[in-house]
Amino acid sequence: MDNRRKFIKNSAIITGLAAVGGTYSTVLAANRNKNSGKLILRYKPYTLQLKHVFTISSNSRTTTPVVLTELEYNGVIGYGEASMPPYLGESHETVLKFLAQVDLTKFGDPFDMEDILDYVDQIAPHNPAAKASVDIALHDLVGKIMNEPWYKIWGYNASKTPYTSYTIGIDTPEVVRQKVKEAEPYKILKVKLGRETDKLMINTIREVTDKPITVDVNQGWKDKKFALDMAFWLKEKGIIFVEQPMPKEMLDETAWLTEHSPLPIMADEAVQRLEDVLKVHQVYSGINIKLMKSTGMREAHKMLELARALNMKVMLGCMTETSCAISAASQLAPMVDWADLDGSLLISNDVYQGTQVIDGKVTLHDRPGIGITKV
């Protein structure tokens, strides 16, 4: 396995990095705004209230902490967001501490995006959601200055967006049936697994609907043969793919599972940033890209291009987020195989309006930047 991975890494770097290089510099150089001004960063903590208790293989919660950001330049304001599910290790405290170190007054031009985001990335290790909150706000700002949405800046076709799945957390059969009923407008369901009730969850849903289902195990299965048996059983139940079935450290076992599974095996916790895409190539069938893991839109875009160059499947996911981060991620949606962009649909106190889900489909519009307005 070690020799195989070294070969993959060496050969894929050339292909993948060629695919992602130069995108930002080429697009932005022709659209620079020479007006003088300062970049002013503002931020505040906020707590999202979930409509239902949200349970995965490792924990349950009813709220998610977020930090909402604004980046202003010459009177134009871009909006951003950091969402921090507790299991990822970030919190209001860590994000606010990180953002307090961000000094953007040294940059006089928001179109210097590579320099600005490189600076933000180097302030401290980790903190991907905190970094994403600046990245998203900067993209929103620059898109507004250019008066174009980012999917158009990237050259994507809005008509090619996929349907989004609607997530159903682990719960009792009664609550699961209720959640399936609430998900009636959506064409695909995403079901959380990873506990002893896995078959009960699927069978309960199949009692009331024959919609396509994806499953997310959140590293809940520990044995590769059990995982393979489950993959065959899930195939019979009309499941599309299995997301992160085993712990992210189990690379060899997951590669074996991917080779033998009748369903695609997707990486979530096993892949966070650009460098991880090469690590999971030929271990998983594809990757789940999330802005809160990748530090934002810039790196998520590079991950998408690299995964495509490596002929991997691509899923676009989210945390529990407002329409701000969901709309930012949606700019990439025309280029992915599957989308799970329901984070804002699971909360009761969204503060923005943005990308809509119409008849189950991620639907982009022509508002500039990431395409949101305040409620």
Side-chain angles (χ1 to χ4, degrees), residues 187-190 206 209-214 238-240:
K187 308 295 185 183
I188 304 172
L189 301 178
K190 176 177 176 176
R206 280 291 174 244
T209 183
D210 60 357
K211 289 181 180 178
I213 295 173
T214 73
I239 276 57
I240 301 172

Side-chain angles (χ1 to χ4, degrees), residues 88-211:
L88 292 178
E90 290 185 84
S91 64
H92 277 152
E93 181 181 7
T94 63
V95 172
L96 295 174
K97 180 180 179 181
F98 179 88
L99 294 177
Q101 301 176 69
V102 178
D103 178 13
L104 300 182
T105 60
K106 63 182 71 177
F107 299 99
D109 187 345
F111 282 84
D112 291 330
M113 297 183 75
E114 288 288 351
D115 291 345
I116 294 169
L117 295 176
D118 281 345
Y119 156 73
V120 171
D121 198 15
Q122 293 167 15
I123 289 174
H126 311 306
N127 304 101
K131 294 171 182 178
S133 72
V134 180
D135 171 285
I136 294 169
L138 181 60
H139 278 80
D140 193 32
L141 173 66
V142 169
K144 286 175 176 174
I145 294 172
M146 296 172 67
N147 199 33
E148 292 286 358
W150 269 94
Y151 74 87
K152 285 190 175 181
I153 295 171
W154 281 326
Y156 297 159
N157 183 344
S159 69
K160 294 183 177 181
T161 56
Y163 292 102
T164 182
S165 55
Y166 185 89
T167 302
I168 297 177
I170 299 169
D171 220 312
T172 64
E174 293 75 18
V175 175
V176 168
R177 292 187 190 99
Q178 178 187 347
K179 291 179 178 179
V180 172
K181 184 177 180 180
E182 293 176 4
E184 180 60 32
Y186 305 96
K187 308 295 185 183
I188 304 172
L189 301 178
K190 176 177 176 176
V191 180
K192 294 289 187 176
L193 299 181
R195 294 189 177 182
E196 66 280 357
T197 57
D198 286 353
K199 289 188 176 182
L200 176 62
M201 283 285 297
I202 298 300
N203 284 331
T204 299
I205 293 171
R206 280 291 174 244
E207 290 174 4
V208 293
T209 183
D210 60 357
K211 289 181 180 178

